[in-house]
Amino acid sequence: MGYSAPRGTVDILPGKSEKWIRLEQLLRTISANYNVKEMRTPIFEHAELFNRAVGDTTDVVSKEMYTFPDKKGRMISLRPEGTAGIARAYVENKMYGLPEKLQKVYYMGPMFRYERPQNGRQRQFHQYGVEMMGVESAYVDVECMVMAVTVVEALGLKNVTLHINSLGDDVSRDAYREALKDHFRPSLDELCGDCKARFDKNPLRILDCKVDANHPAMKNAPKTIDYLSENAKKHFEKVCSLLDDLEVSYVIDTNLVRGLDYYSHTVFEIISDDPKLGAGATVGGGGRYNGLIEELGGPATPGVGFAFGMERLLLALDDEQEDEEDGLDCYIMPLGEEAKDLAMQVITMLRANGFTCDMDHASRGLKGQFKSADRFHAHFSIILGDEEVKNEVVNIKCNHDKTQETVPLENIVAYLENHLAGGHEHE
């Protein structure tokens, strides 16, 4: 019988994986610019972690998690998002005791949600996320948002807008929760089963409902921003003034609540109308989560973060010059068995000196080997035949300027370096 990848997963083959590497390198470079360090957590965690951190009234936990018992009956979940695992590791490894009060970390890797696969959204997908934990400050909120905008701008996306809102502190949320319940109570019988279940536990989730999105009660629901406490209002006003000072354009979007339970105060999303993604596409988002680490058994520790779906970022990544950037430095072309022996020595020596190389292992003629050199976008073709073996030389052809020279074996590295330094880089 034949086998295929499970529904909602994809194979990333050579030719596509290079684009993933380019994206990962870009994200690592931006992270380093912001002094954000990488953190790696397990791909699976105890299911209770996500129930507590993400919230059992969210669609992610109630409908989309891959959860199963291990051999001892413990319930394990494949991670559906990155923040809960980072927060758990922060507490378990007592990172709150480190000399630097503000810990800035990023993660990158696969996440898992059981949902209907569609373009740009799979059951195994990848996220890049940043978490800044330990300091409650509007300055940290803004640094986080500016970093997220920097990522999007570095990808070359056009028509990008930062949408922001505030969910407020606990006092604000309590007042807003009661206002929502008062608002939806008369219409409760008209809402779907999920909304009815959320009404008592977490009425904010009603605003996320796709089934009842067009119900009249949704249109005129109370806004979080009207129920902010004095402290929460002051925090949000400082966020806005800092964004103004930095000339970062934004829209206050009072419908923005985000989909996970741990958010408080500032929440934000980056929306793009770039044709690559389609009008009104959400590229990524995040917000502040001041109660999460305490909920997981740590000391009261404020945090703020964001995440991007990497598949969506890939759609934005410019394809220009991809072939050139992914090309080999050298393709070694031996003709005959003796030449193959020498080719193995040459390629090993070149790789040890930092050159990217490959060689023909199929004993083809020159024409077939030159085709491979073209397919690999090789800068140099290095040709070895019986005469070259006897004279301890190679023929080096630059595939860009079409020059070809005979070079002694001991001079190959120096010749290649000099040629590159002479302004013959990829054109």
Short mmCIF file of all heavy atoms in Angstrom, two decimals, residues 13-23 25 317-330 356-357 373-379 426:
data_model
loop_
_atom_site.label_atom_id
_atom_site.label_comp_id
_atom_site.label_asym_id
_atom_site.label_seq_id
_atom_site.Cartn_x
_atom_site.Cartn_y
_atom_site.Cartn_z
N LEU A 13 10.28 20.25 0.99
CA LEU A 13 11.32 19.61 0.18
C LEU A 13 12.44 20.59 -0.15
O LEU A 13 12.25 21.81 -0.05
CB LEU A 13 10.70 19.07 -1.12
CG LEU A 13 9.52 18.10 -0.96
CD1 LEU A 13 9.00 17.68 -2.33
CD2 LEU A 13 9.92 16.88 -0.15
N PRO A 14 13.62 20.06 -0.56
CA PRO A 14 14.66 20.94 -1.09
C PRO A 14 14.07 21.80 -2.22
O PRO A 14 13.28 21.31 -3.04
CB PRO A 14 15.72 19.98 -1.62
CG PRO A 14 15.53 18.74 -0.81
CD PRO A 14 14.05 18.65 -0.55
N GLY A 15 14.46 23.06 -2.24
CA GLY A 15 13.84 24.01 -3.16
C GLY A 15 12.87 24.89 -2.41
O GLY A 15 12.73 26.08 -2.71
N LYS A 16 12.18 24.34 -1.39
CA LYS A 16 11.32 25.13 -0.50
C LYS A 16 12.02 25.35 0.85
O LYS A 16 11.83 26.39 1.48
CB LYS A 16 9.99 24.40 -0.27
CG LYS A 16 9.09 24.35 -1.51
CD LYS A 16 8.43 25.68 -1.73
CE LYS A 16 7.67 25.71 -3.06
NZ LYS A 16 6.62 24.71 -3.16
N SER A 17 12.80 24.36 1.28
CA SER A 17 13.42 24.48 2.61
C SER A 17 14.39 25.66 2.67
O SER A 17 14.57 26.27 3.72
CB SER A 17 14.13 23.18 2.99
OG SER A 17 15.12 22.85 2.04
N GLU A 18 15.00 26.00 1.50
CA GLU A 18 15.93 27.14 1.50
C GLU A 18 15.20 28.44 1.87
O GLU A 18 15.75 29.30 2.55
CB GLU A 18 16.59 27.29 0.12
CG GLU A 18 17.55 26.19 -0.24
CD GLU A 18 16.88 24.97 -0.85
OE1 GLU A 18 15.63 24.92 -0.89
OE2 GLU A 18 17.60 24.06 -1.30
N LYS A 19 13.95 28.55 1.44
CA LYS A 19 13.18 29.75 1.76
C LYS A 19 12.87 29.80 3.26
O LYS A 19 12.89 30.87 3.88
CB LYS A 19 11.89 29.77 0.94
CG LYS A 19 11.20 31.12 0.94
CD LYS A 19 10.07 31.17 -0.08
CE LYS A 19 9.41 32.54 -0.08
NZ LYS A 19 8.31 32.63 -1.06
N TRP A 20 12.59 28.63 3.84
CA TRP A 20 12.40 28.55 5.29
C TRP A 20 13.66 29.01 6.03
O TRP A 20 13.59 29.75 7.01
CB TRP A 20 12.05 27.12 5.71
CG TRP A 20 10.61 26.79 5.54
CD1 TRP A 20 10.00 26.29 4.42
CD2 TRP A 20 9.56 26.94 6.51
NE1 TRP A 20 8.66 26.13 4.64
CE2 TRP A 20 8.36 26.51 5.91
CE3 TRP A 20 9.54 27.40 7.82
CZ2 TRP A 20 7.14 26.53 6.58
CZ3 TRP A 20 8.33 27.40 8.50
CH2 TRP A 20 7.15 26.97 7.89
N ILE A 21 14.81 28.56 5.55
CA ILE A 21 16.07 28.93 6.20
C ILE A 21 16.29 30.44 6.12
O ILE A 21 16.72 31.07 7.10
CB ILE A 21 17.25 28.15 5.56
CG1 ILE A 21 17.13 26.66 5.91
CG2 ILE A 21 18.60 28.70 6.04
CD1 ILE A 21 18.04 25.76 5.09
N ARG A 22 15.99 31.03 4.96
CA ARG A 22 16.13 32.48 4.82
C ARG A 22 15.25 33.22 5.82
O ARG A 22 15.66 34.19 6.45
CB ARG A 22 15.76 32.91 3.40
CG ARG A 22 16.81 32.59 2.35
CD ARG A 22 16.34 33.00 0.96
NE ARG A 22 16.05 34.42 0.90
CZ ARG A 22 15.10 34.97 0.14
NH1 ARG A 22 14.32 34.19 -0.59
NH2 ARG A 22 14.92 36.27 0.13
N LEU A 23 13.99 32.75 5.96
CA LEU A 23 13.08 33.38 6.91
C LEU A 23 13.60 33.23 8.34
O LEU A 23 13.61 34.19 9.11
CB LEU A 23 11.69 32.75 6.79
CG LEU A 23 10.64 33.23 7.81
CD1 LEU A 23 10.41 34.72 7.70
CD2 LEU A 23 9.33 32.46 7.64
N GLN A 25 16.66 32.82 9.36
CA GLN A 25 17.84 33.66 9.56
C GLN A 25 17.45 35.12 9.76
O GLN A 25 18.02 35.82 10.60
CB GLN A 25 18.79 33.52 8.36
CG GLN A 25 19.50 32.17 8.33
CD GLN A 25 20.28 31.94 7.04
OE1 GLN A 25 20.02 32.54 6.01
NE2 GLN A 25 21.25 31.04 7.10
N LEU A 317 7.61 36.62 2.07
CA LEU A 317 9.05 36.70 1.84
C LEU A 317 9.34 36.83 0.36
O LEU A 317 8.88 36.04 -0.46
CB LEU A 317 9.74 35.45 2.41
CG LEU A 317 11.27 35.48 2.47
CD1 LEU A 317 11.75 36.59 3.38
CD2 LEU A 317 11.79 34.14 2.98
N ASP A 318 10.13 37.82 0.01
CA ASP A 318 10.43 38.12 -1.39
C ASP A 318 11.24 37.00 -2.02
O ASP A 318 12.21 36.52 -1.44
CB ASP A 318 11.22 39.43 -1.46
CG ASP A 318 11.11 40.08 -2.83
OD1 ASP A 318 10.68 39.38 -3.76
OD2 ASP A 318 11.47 41.26 -2.96
N ASP A 319 10.85 36.58 -3.23
CA ASP A 319 11.56 35.51 -3.93
C ASP A 319 12.76 36.01 -4.72
O ASP A 319 13.54 35.23 -5.24
CB ASP A 319 10.62 34.80 -4.92
CG ASP A 319 9.62 33.91 -4.19
OD1 ASP A 319 9.98 33.39 -3.14
OD2 ASP A 319 8.50 33.76 -4.68
N GLU A 320 12.93 37.32 -4.83
CA GLU A 320 14.01 37.86 -5.66
C GLU A 320 15.37 37.41 -5.15
O GLU A 320 15.63 37.38 -3.95
CB GLU A 320 13.97 39.40 -5.66
CG GLU A 320 12.82 39.96 -6.49
CD GLU A 320 12.80 41.47 -6.45
OE1 GLU A 320 13.82 42.05 -6.07
OE2 GLU A 320 11.77 42.04 -6.79
N GLN A 321 16.24 37.05 -6.06
CA GLN A 321 17.62 36.66 -5.78
C GLN A 321 17.72 35.36 -5.00
O GLN A 321 18.81 34.98 -4.56
CB GLN A 321 18.38 37.77 -5.02
CG GLN A 321 18.47 39.06 -5.80
CD GLN A 321 19.19 40.13 -5.03
OE1 GLN A 321 19.17 40.15 -3.80
NE2 GLN A 321 19.84 41.02 -5.75
N GLU A 322 16.60 34.67 -4.85
CA GLU A 322 16.64 33.42 -4.07
C GLU A 322 17.58 32.41 -4.71
O GLU A 322 18.37 31.76 -4.03
CB GLU A 322 15.22 32.85 -3.96
CG GLU A 322 15.14 31.66 -3.03
CD GLU A 322 13.70 31.23 -2.80
OE1 GLU A 322 12.77 31.94 -3.19
OE2 GLU A 322 13.53 30.15 -2.22
N ASP A 323 17.49 32.27 -6.04
CA ASP A 323 18.33 31.29 -6.72
C ASP A 323 19.80 31.61 -6.52
O ASP A 323 20.62 30.74 -6.27
CB ASP A 323 18.00 31.27 -8.22
CG ASP A 323 16.65 30.64 -8.50
OD1 ASP A 323 16.15 29.95 -7.60
OD2 ASP A 323 16.11 30.87 -9.59
N GLU A 324 20.15 32.90 -6.65
CA GLU A 324 21.55 33.27 -6.51
C GLU A 324 22.05 33.01 -5.10
O GLU A 324 23.14 32.50 -4.89
CB GLU A 324 21.73 34.76 -6.87
CG GLU A 324 21.43 35.08 -8.33
CD GLU A 324 22.41 34.44 -9.29
OE1 GLU A 324 23.48 34.00 -8.84
OE2 GLU A 324 22.11 34.37 -10.48
N GLU A 325 21.23 33.39 -4.11
CA GLU A 325 21.66 33.20 -2.72
C GLU A 325 21.82 31.73 -2.39
O GLU A 325 22.64 31.37 -1.57
CB GLU A 325 20.63 33.85 -1.78
CG GLU A 325 20.67 35.37 -1.81
CD GLU A 325 19.67 35.96 -0.85
OE1 GLU A 325 19.15 35.22 0.00
OE2 GLU A 325 19.42 37.17 -0.94
N ASP A 326 21.04 30.86 -3.03
CA ASP A 326 21.08 29.46 -2.70
C ASP A 326 22.08 28.68 -3.56
O ASP A 326 22.18 27.47 -3.46
CB ASP A 326 19.69 28.84 -2.89
CG ASP A 326 18.68 29.41 -1.90
OD1 ASP A 326 19.13 29.90 -0.85
OD2 ASP A 326 17.48 29.39 -2.19
N GLY A 327 22.81 29.37 -4.46
CA GLY A 327 23.72 28.68 -5.36
C GLY A 327 24.95 28.13 -4.66
O GLY A 327 25.39 28.62 -3.62
N LEU A 328 25.53 27.08 -5.27
CA LEU A 328 26.79 26.51 -4.77
C LEU A 328 27.96 27.41 -5.16
O LEU A 328 27.91 28.10 -6.18
CB LEU A 328 27.02 25.13 -5.37
CG LEU A 328 26.15 23.97 -4.88
CD1 LEU A 328 26.48 22.72 -5.70
CD2 LEU A 328 26.40 23.71 -3.40
N ASP A 329 29.03 27.34 -4.36
CA ASP A 329 30.28 27.98 -4.79
C ASP A 329 30.91 27.18 -5.93
O ASP A 329 31.32 27.76 -6.94
CB ASP A 329 31.26 28.08 -3.61
CG ASP A 329 30.79 29.05 -2.54
OD1 ASP A 329 30.17 30.07 -2.90
OD2 ASP A 329 31.01 28.77 -1.35
N CYS A 330 31.00 25.86 -5.76
CA CYS A 330 31.74 25.04 -6.73
C CYS A 330 31.00 23.73 -7.04
O CYS A 330 30.47 23.09 -6.13
CB CYS A 330 33.13 24.66 -6.19
SG CYS A 330 34.12 26.05 -5.65
N THR A 356 30.88 26.05 -0.35
CA THR A 356 29.78 25.11 -0.55
C THR A 356 30.01 24.38 -1.87
O THR A 356 30.21 25.02 -2.91
CB THR A 356 28.43 25.84 -0.58
OG1 THR A 356 28.43 26.82 -1.63
CG2 THR A 356 28.15 26.53 0.75
N CYS A 357 30.01 23.07 -1.83
CA CYS A 357 30.40 22.28 -3.01
C CYS A 357 29.55 21.03 -3.17
O CYS A 357 29.00 20.51 -2.20
CB CYS A 357 31.86 21.80 -2.88
SG CYS A 357 33.05 23.05 -2.47
N ALA A 373 25.58 21.75 -12.89
CA ALA A 373 26.18 23.00 -12.40
C ALA A 373 25.21 24.16 -12.56
O ALA A 373 25.07 25.02 -11.67
CB ALA A 373 27.49 23.27 -13.13
N ASP A 374 24.48 24.18 -13.70
CA ASP A 374 23.48 25.23 -13.92
C ASP A 374 22.32 25.11 -12.95
O ASP A 374 21.85 26.10 -12.38
CB ASP A 374 22.95 25.16 -15.36
CG ASP A 374 23.97 25.65 -16.38
OD1 ASP A 374 24.93 26.34 -15.97
OD2 ASP A 374 23.82 25.33 -17.58
N ARG A 375 21.84 23.86 -12.76
CA ARG A 375 20.71 23.66 -11.85
C ARG A 375 21.05 24.08 -10.42
O ARG A 375 20.21 24.57 -9.69
CB ARG A 375 20.24 22.20 -11.89
CG ARG A 375 19.32 21.87 -13.05
CD ARG A 375 18.64 20.53 -12.86
NE ARG A 375 19.59 19.43 -12.97
CZ ARG A 375 19.91 18.81 -14.11
NH1 ARG A 375 19.36 19.20 -15.25
NH2 ARG A 375 20.77 17.81 -14.13
N PHE A 376 22.30 23.84 -10.02
CA PHE A 376 22.74 24.21 -8.66
C PHE A 376 23.20 25.67 -8.58
O PHE A 376 23.64 26.11 -7.52
CB PHE A 376 23.88 23.29 -8.20
CG PHE A 376 23.44 21.87 -7.92
CD1 PHE A 376 24.13 20.80 -8.48
CD2 PHE A 376 22.36 21.60 -7.10
CE1 PHE A 376 23.75 19.50 -8.22
CE2 PHE A 376 21.98 20.29 -6.83
CZ PHE A 376 22.66 19.24 -7.40
N HIS A 377 23.11 26.41 -9.70
CA HIS A 377 23.55 27.80 -9.75
C HIS A 377 24.98 27.93 -9.21
O HIS A 377 25.28 28.83 -8.41
CB HIS A 377 22.60 28.70 -8.94
CG HIS A 377 21.17 28.58 -9.35
ND1 HIS A 377 20.69 29.06 -10.54
CD2 HIS A 377 20.12 27.96 -8.75
CE1 HIS A 377 19.40 28.78 -10.65
NE2 HIS A 377 19.03 28.10 -9.58
N ALA A 378 25.84 27.01 -9.64
CA ALA A 378 27.22 27.00 -9.15
C ALA A 378 27.99 28.19 -9.71
O ALA A 378 27.90 28.48 -10.91
CB ALA A 378 27.90 25.70 -9.55
N HIS A 379 28.73 28.86 -8.85
CA HIS A 379 29.57 29.98 -9.29
C HIS A 379 30.73 29.47 -10.15
O HIS A 379 31.04 30.04 -11.19
CB HIS A 379 30.10 30.73 -8.06
CG HIS A 379 30.66 32.08 -8.37
ND1 HIS A 379 30.46 33.15 -7.55
CD2 HIS A 379 31.40 32.53 -9.42
CE1 HIS A 379 31.07 34.22 -8.07
NE2 HIS A 379 31.65 33.86 -9.20
N HIS A 426 28.31 37.19 -7.48
CA HIS A 426 27.09 36.90 -8.25
C HIS A 426 26.50 38.19 -8.80
O HIS A 426 26.36 39.17 -8.09
CB HIS A 426 26.04 36.22 -7.35
CG HIS A 426 26.51 34.90 -6.81
ND1 HIS A 426 25.64 33.99 -6.32
CD2 HIS A 426 27.74 34.35 -6.69
CE1 HIS A 426 26.31 32.93 -5.88
NE2 HIS A 426 27.59 33.15 -6.11
#
